[in-house]
Amino acid sequence: MMVDSALLKFLMPSEPVELTQQLIRIPSFLWHESEVGRFICDWMQQRGFEVDFQEVPLRDGGVTHQAIGVLHGDGSGPSLMLCGHTDTSDWNGDVFRRDEWTHDPFAADIENGKLYGLGAINMKAGVAAILMATEMVRRSDLALKGDVIVACVVAETGGGVGALHLIKTGLRPDYCIVTEAGNLDVGVISVGYVQGKVRVIGEFKHRVPYINPIEKITKVIHAFGPSYQPLKLKQAGGWLRFEPHPLIPGFPAMAVRNVEHYQNTTTLSFDLRIIPGMTEATVRQDMTALLDQIRADDPDFQYELIIPQSARQPNMPARPATPIDSPLVTTLIEAHKHVTGSDPVVGAGHRIGATADTCHFKGVGITCVEYGPGFIPIWPMVDECIDVDQIITATQVLALTVAEICGR
């Protein structure tokens, strides 16, 4: 790799930080991202990007919008997409435990080197980094051989609806970097998830013996096991079929996320983190066999299995690892070393157990990795925050990677 350090002079360190602050100040809860998408489109248009303000249809009949920008090359080199999502964490339309925050979730305060706000980590800093990295390349007047695409997509936390829409438009870059908060690790693999519900049907009576679905659902909870503990292979006494993956130790794993009861039904929601080789279909088969066994042991156990958990939100598949000798991976590693002076972690990295839109892009043959700013000590977070220095570093590393992939 021939790193052109001169490119770094086209960035004032304050720029990606200030852009992150601007993005945080525009609320963009899941399914409601149009306002921030319009801001991003205007920002790119003012700088000469070719811009597409895409309307994304939702499965409930509504729409939201996402911003896509392009700097065109001459077609003689590979294309690279930088992708981040604009939706932030949503807890029934509000901030997670808002009353416990010590910073206004939309003020974007900076204190002791940290930038606070909803979406600071997940993932408006990553979005700001891809915008400013591409803007650095534009300012440099580098003669691009391949296209550079900036994709600020919606609804990653809703199953990747925005990424799936982008794929439906026919966009197929050679390479893609998704800037999820990975503590600047190079993520070549991630888990997927299968989320769904088990509904147990009983009776609703008073003062007489009856089939209580609340009691019956405890059998499902017991069968699933403790939250996010490694699950056993079927041949080792578990209920799931899978082959352990060396880059994702401790997975698959799952947790019961919610239990609701109304009259004669009790409904359990679950989140199962899957690894390559597992699919929604294989999970459905294995879970059905488990629930059928509970019913065989207890004829009063009547259930309904619902996968995915809602028609609005698809599940996220698990894809194989991107080869470490891929030009995208090797270039990103060298750019990181040049900016930071140290080797990045390569593998599942800091985001082990988390999902990303990489799974959808990999599914259509795009070579894809994750690399973005932000260390997440626990999730979800009160006072969500990110180290300012990581935003700047990520922007610089991404700019050097774009220049090398698309400009040489």
Side-chain angles (χ1 to χ4, degrees):
M1 176 180 180
M2 298 173 60
V3 174
D4 186 358
S5 298
L7 181 64
L8 300 183
K9 72 181 182 182
F10 292 97
L11 179 74
M12 293 179 57
S14 62
E15 289 181 293
V17 179
E18 291 170 354
L19 182 55
T20 303
Q21 290 177 296
Q22 289 178 291
L23 294 171
I24 288 171
R25 289 167 183 153
I26 304 173
S28 55
F29 291 112
L30 177 63
W31 317 120
H32 301 281
E33 302 95 323
S34 297
E35 184 181 355
V36 75
R38 170 54 68 190
F39 170 86
I40 293 168
C41 274
D42 291 345
W43 189 94
M44 291 191 290
Q45 282 180 325
Q46 292 166 11
R47 290 158 178 79
F49 290 61
E50 180 183 295
V51 174
D52 182 10
F53 187 54
Q54 291 186 348
E55 182 176 279
V56 181
L58 303 177
R59 297 182 178 192
D60 63 356
V63 298
T64 186
H65 295 82
Q66 60 189 20
I68 313 299
V70 182
L71 296 181
H72 287 285
D74 63 18
S76 64
S79 54
L80 171 61
M81 178 167 69
L82 303 180
C83 181
H85 67 81
T86 55
D87 53 304
T88 59
S89 298
D90 176 89
W91 301 90
N92 294 319
D94 202 357
V95 179
F96 178 70
R97 295 181 180 173
R98 181 192 281 264
D99 59 338
E100 297 180 19
W101 284 57
T102 62
H103 293 264
D104 183 333
F106 302 106
D109 299 332
I110 295 177
E111 184 178 294
N112 297 324
K114 293 185 182 295
L115 170 56
Y116 289 82
L118 184 65
I121 283 182
N122 194 23
M123 59 174 296
K124 290 185 173 178
V127 171
I130 66 176
L131 289 166
M132 283 308 312
T134 311
E135 169 63 3
M136 289 170 66
V137 173
R138 188 196 66 81
R139 290 173 182 173
S140 74
D141 289 325
L142 178 68
L144 293 171
K145 297 182 180 296
D147 291 348
V148 184
I149 301 114
V150 181
C152 303
V153 298
V154 300
E156 187 274 342
T157 58
V161 169
L164 289 169
H165 178 78
L166 191 60
I167 289 167
K168 288 180 181 178
T169 68
L171 184 64
R172 296 292 187 276
D174 297 292
Y175 301 116
C176 174
I177 301 172
V178 174
T179 53
E180 288 281 6
N183 199 35
L184 304 178
D185 296 342
V186 178
V188 297
I189 192 169
S190 56
V191 300
Y193 64 65
V194 174
Q195 295 177 340
K197 299 177 180 180
V198 178
R199 180 169 294 143
V200 174
I201 301 95
E203 298 174 325
F204 182 60
K205 299 179 182 178
H206 289 294
R207 299 185 305 278
V208 296
Y210 71 102
I211 299 171
N212 188 336
I214 299 174
E215 296 170 2
K216 301 300 181 185
I217 207 76
T218 62
K219 297 187 177 187
V220 180
I221 297 171
H222 178 75
F224 283 168
S227 296
Y228 295 127
Q229 294 297 312
L231 292 170
K232 293 181 181 179
L233 288 160
K234 190 176 183 70
Q235 54 266 41
W239 57 272
L240 269 177
R241 293 168 293 163
F242 63 92
E243 290 295 330
H245 198 290
L247 292 179
I248 320 178
F251 291 89
M254 75 178 302
V256 172
R257 298 291 294 274
N258 193 31
V259 177
E260 297 177 337
H261 175 74
Y262 180 71
Q263 294 185 358
N264 68 327
T265 61
T266 303
T267 304
L268 170 156
S269 300
F270 65 85
D271 172 50
L272 172 60
R273 300 286 155 149
I274 62 173
I275 60 178
M278 301 172 69
T279 67
E280 183 177 300
T282 65
V283 169
R284 187 192 303 275
Q285 292 167 2
D286 291 344
M287 195 169 290
T288 298
L290 175 67
L291 296 171
D292 283 348
Q293 184 58 56
I294 296 175
R295 183 167 57 188
D297 296 336
D298 179 1
D300 290 332
F301 179 83
Q302 300 298 322
Y303 76 90
E304 178 186 4
L305 178 60
I306 302 165
I307 297 175
Q309 66 177 350
S310 74
R312 193 183 213 186
Q313 181 170 331
N315 284 312
M316 303 280 266
R319 306 293 188 188
T322 299
I324 293 177
D325 60 358
S326 160
L328 177 61
V329 177
T330 57
T331 301
L332 192 54
I333 290 171
E334 288 303 311
H336 178 95
K337 288 170 64 175
H338 181 81
V339 173
T340 68
S342 60
D343 291 316
V345 173
V346 181
H350 172 60
R351 282 179 47 78
I352 189 168
T355 59
D357 281 328
T358 48
C359 68
H360 297 310
F361 299 130
K362 285 183 176 184
V364 293
I366 301 169
T367 300
C368 199
V369 299
E370 297 165 30
Y371 180 88
F375 175 82
I376 304 175
I378 190 170
W379 194 258
M381 288 179 68
V382 171
D383 280 337
E384 184 178 345
C385 62
I386 188 168
D387 287 343
V388 166
D389 288 346
Q390 282 212 359
I391 306 173
I392 300 165
T393 298
T395 304
Q396 294 172 328
V397 171
L398 292 168
L400 293 177
T401 302
V402 169
E404 183 67 21
I405 293 287
C406 298
R408 296 296 179 189

